[in-house]
Amino acid sequence: MIKKSIEIKLPHGLEARPVAELVQVASKYDSTIHIEVQERKVNAKSIMGMMTLNLKSGEMIDVIAEGSDEAAAVADMANYLEGATSLA
């Protein structure tokens, strides 16, 4: 299991489109991936779950991955959330 704290650096936070893109990033991996904010933990592959977090730019979250490709999954999720890559 890998857990990494990440600051969301997307200009508008995780609105509908960025959430959909983040779910696409997570879905590329076989590992189980969760996003944890304070005491809430949701499946990063669930659009509805991710939307309930209502995450804003500047917030800190934890990305937790467990599985055969967990390191790559966490790295890719971090790159997206930090604004380094975009699917658009």
Side-chain angles (χ1 to χ4, degrees):
M1 180 183 84
I2 296 177
K3 180 175 183 177
K4 181 175 182 177
S5 294
I6 299 168
E7 179 182 353
I8 298 172
K9 294 182 181 175
L10 301 171
H12 302 289
L14 287 176
E15 296 174 341
R17 185 179 188 149
V19 164
E21 291 178 350
L22 185 62
V23 169
Q24 285 180 0
V25 171
S27 295
K28 294 189 306 186
Y29 297 95
D30 292 328
S31 293
T32 303
I33 306 169
H34 287 92
I35 302 293
E36 192 172 58
V37 181
Q38 296 165 358
E39 296 177 10
R40 297 183 66 197
K41 184 176 181 179
V42 301
N43 182 346
K45 298 178 184 181
S46 166
I47 290 177
M48 294 306 292
M50 290 298 299
M51 289 297 294
T52 64
L53 294 177
N54 194 30
L55 297 169
K56 308 288 185 215
S57 184
E59 284 190 71
M60 292 297 296
I61 64 167
D62 290 323
V63 175
I64 305 160
E66 185 169 2
S68 60
D69 52 4
E70 61 190 23
V74 169
D76 211 4
M77 297 285 286
N79 282 339
Y80 182 79
L81 290 165
E82 293 171 345
T85 61
S86 176
L87 300 178

